[in-house]
Amino acid sequence: SSGINAEYGRVLLAVIGTLAALSIGLAHTPVKLNQTAIANGGAIKSLVQLMGSTDNALVKVQSAYAIACITLAHTDNQKILGKEKFGFNELIELLYCADRAVSLGAGRALTTFAYNNIPTQKDIVKGGDIQYEQFIRFLDSDDEHEQGNAAFQVIILARVMTGEDHVVIMARGIETLHALLHSESELIEELAANNIASLAHTRAGIPAALVTVGAMERLISLLTSPAELVRSSAATAVGYMTFNRGAMRILLTACRRNPETYQLLFANLSGGKISDTFVREWEYCLTVGLPSQSTGLVPIDHQVMPDHAASQSTLINQFKTTTIDTPTYGTTITEELMDVASTHRYTSASSVAQ
């Protein structure tokens, strides 16, 4: 019977994972149609009941993650969840589980609930203590996959954590993701780029910090990766980063130096977003035919300092001089993706003539 139970557990986890995967797309963007259909089928109630009835910790955290995906930026689904007996206490307890997969899974669920949702972040704080120390074992891990997941989690959860200043926590996470963009593993490069794509449309200070450590240059270079998934992830991240003016300037400079960069970007930008302002400025450069330096946009070198302490100090100062507590476009994801410091809207990759 243990074999049957094990097989049942694997099937159950696969079904739960499918519900989560259908609910969110690239860069933590909600798939509203799927979310609505899944919720209408009673999945939220069933998943909450499953969390309460199972003794399997992995099933608990995966169920919580699926609920987070189904309710991400979906007001109606959040109301459905509000009618259920669901709280963050047990999920936070599972964060301290000795099983690393369960601990990281609990962190992923909490991160998805907290993503661009300040009211939920306040509810998480009421649910228990989330200690930064708990994530250090993953940030210091020899497993780069653990590093990448933990880095994303600490950046999103920084403001609800205890044990360290949230600015220091975010700086550590950003440094880690930038380092992983240079991994020898294509899977890790893809993971880091995907996480940066999600972070690029959260708080305004995060893209600026990513520019500071040199992430934009590395993402642009990954557009030429032999691995299709790495190119796609990098293109998505670059597209979202263009809503930051500093990142946009770096990309314009790269495109002027090598016009094929623009073609590579759109060839791999399947479902991502990109700033209208960037597209207009690039088209203007093509129309006027100006050489690289004529546009008045000079190349900006963003190199990571060799001294770790000095690098982190620079990032901390970057955060402290930027409004990082204001999400880029309100407390939940909307279709009006706008940068705090600008008024340009996004362009869908599919709508741009190549």
Side-chain angles (χ1 to χ4, degrees), residues 27-273:
H28 277 71
T29 53
V31 184
K32 292 285 178 70
L33 201 63
N34 289 352
Q35 288 175 313
T36 301
I38 289 169
N40 287 345
I44 294 175
K45 186 179 188 68
S46 297
L47 288 166
V48 172
Q49 289 176 345
L50 182 59
M51 284 186 68
S53 62
T54 183
D55 293 326
N56 187 316
L58 196 56
V59 171
K60 283 181 184 288
V61 297
Q62 296 288 45
S63 296
Y65 173 65
I67 294 168
C69 292
I70 296 165
T71 58
L72 178 66
H74 198 300
T75 306
D76 291 341
N77 288 359
Q78 289 167 3
K79 289 177 181 176
I80 294 173
L81 179 60
K83 295 176 183 177
E84 301 295 331
K85 291 182 179 179
F86 177 84
F88 294 107
N89 309 59
E90 185 178 24
L91 198 52
I92 292 173
E93 287 176 11
L94 289 169
L95 192 63
Y96 299 98
C97 180
D99 186 314
R100 297 173 79 92
V102 171
S103 179
L104 273 175
R108 180 170 73 156
L110 288 165
T111 299
T112 308
F113 277 115
Y115 185 81
N116 279 352
N117 195 328
I118 291 174
T120 299
Q121 290 176 21
K122 293 177 180 177
D123 291 337
I124 290 172
V125 170
K126 296 173 186 175
D129 191 26
I130 299 179
Q131 298 173 11
Y132 172 56
E133 183 180 1
Q134 174 63 20
F135 293 84
I136 294 176
R137 62 172 172 157
F138 297 118
L139 292 169
D140 290 340
S141 171
D142 291 332
D143 185 331
E144 289 184 325
H145 195 267
E146 288 188 346
Q147 289 180 36
N149 286 323
F152 179 72
Q153 291 175 18
V154 300
I155 294 168
I156 297 297
L157 295 173
R159 293 188 305 170
V160 301
M161 284 185 179
T162 59
E164 183 58 271
D165 186 279
H166 74 279
V167 172
V168 175
I169 295 173
M170 292 169 71
R172 173 69 191 275
I174 284 173
E175 285 179 326
T176 301
L177 285 180
H178 175 253
L180 293 177
L181 284 177
H182 297 266
S183 171
E184 294 180 3
S185 165
E186 291 173 343
L187 287 174
I188 298 302
E189 288 176 335
E190 179 193 349
L191 172 67
N194 278 333
N195 285 343
I196 287 173
S198 295
L199 291 169
H201 56 115
T202 52
R203 304 185 195 101
I206 293 177
L210 287 164
V211 168
T212 297
V213 298
M216 192 65 177
E217 287 88 346
R218 178 57 181 167
L219 287 168
I220 292 169
S221 73
L222 288 177
L223 293 174
T224 60
S225 169
E228 182 181 352
L229 290 176
V230 173
R231 295 196 305 272
S232 176
S233 300
T236 302
V238 168
Y240 279 113
M241 285 290 288
T242 58
F243 292 92
N244 173 274
R245 296 211 179 259
M248 184 181 72
R249 286 196 296 270
I250 293 170
L251 181 57
L252 278 169
T253 298
C255 289
R256 287 196 302 273
R257 286 175 173 169
N258 181 9
E260 288 184 5
T261 299
Y262 185 86
Q263 301 301 326
L264 277 170
L265 174 59
F266 278 96
N268 291 284
L269 192 64
S270 54
K273 303 290 189 293

Side-chain angles (χ1 to χ4, degrees), residues 164-171 174 203-206 208-209 212 311-326:
E164 183 58 271
D165 186 279
H166 74 279
V167 172
V168 175
I169 295 173
M170 292 169 71
I174 284 173
R203 304 185 195 101
I206 293 177
T212 297
S311 174
Q312 189 170 75
S313 174
T314 301
L315 268 182
I316 290 169
N317 289 333
Q318 172 85 39
F319 279 126
K320 286 183 176 178
T321 56
T322 311
T323 306
I324 64 168
D325 288 338
T326 304

